[in-house]
Amino acid sequence: MAGVIASIAAVIALVAWAATVVNVTIVGYTGVPDIPGEWRPFVSMWNIASDSPDPLYQLGGNVALFLPLGLLLPLAWRTAFARLVPTLLTGLLLSSGIEITQATVISGRVSTTDDVILNVLGVFAGWLLWRRLARIPLCQPCVRRVV
């Protein structure tokens, strides 16, 4: 019973997460002028790390934004997302879709491959957190491992 309730709660949390991500990445306007995207991997990360007054906010924000996806997917649909690869591919597809939309449809948004890399890293961190929770006896009724 606890597993079913956890799955339903995870689906509701995923809907809330998706609405937040759309608001932050697609709807929300940052006021950044039209700047061409950076499609070479790690270039924008390096520029942010060396030039930004707050690189942790810039880089960590992309990781933190997708961490819930990696945690909530296996909670909501254990059989499909208990393995790492389907979870990472889902994160990769969603993040790539956002970046493509920002590059082609949304004016005033900067799109980079580094955002995709950091988002997928966030999915990975969330999935690792789910795996750790699955090993804690108190959490096992809600996180039942399929692996």
Side-chain angles (χ1 to χ4, degrees):
M1 183 66 174
V4 173
I5 293 170
S7 292
I8 293 169
V11 170
I12 293 168
L14 275 168
V15 170
W17 171 83
T20 301
V21 168
V22 167
N23 187 46
V24 168
T25 60
I26 304 297
V27 177
Y29 177 73
T30 61
V32 176
D34 285 328
I35 300 171
E38 179 56 67
W39 300 108
R40 294 174 296 169
F42 307 108
V43 172
S44 70
M45 278 191 249
W46 175 259
N47 292 338
I48 289 170
S50 58
D51 298 337
S52 175
D54 195 2
L56 184 60
Y57 173 77
Q58 291 286 338
L59 301 174
N62 278 313
V63 174
L65 187 64
F66 270 69
L67 188 142
L69 183 66
L71 175 64
L72 293 171
L73 281 175
L75 281 174
W77 297 286
R78 288 171 189 83
T79 54
F81 295 105
R83 303 260 182 234
L84 178 61
V85 172
T87 307
L88 288 180
L89 286 175
T90 301
L92 176 67
L93 289 172
L94 288 173
S95 181
S96 297
I98 289 168
E99 294 303 315
I100 290 168
T101 302
Q102 286 179 341
T104 58
V105 178
I106 309 297
S107 177
R109 300 295 295 197
V110 178
S111 182
T112 71
T113 54
D114 290 348
D115 287 350
V116 175
I117 293 168
L118 291 167
N119 291 159
V120 172
L121 184 61
V123 172
F124 179 62
W127 186 85
L128 286 177
L129 179 60
W130 171 75
R131 292 283 297 195
R132 289 289 168 209
L133 288 174
R135 293 185 179 150
I136 299 171
L138 183 64
C139 297
Q140 285 179 353
C142 295
V143 184
R144 287 180 291 148
R145 284 182 29 201
V146 176
V147 186

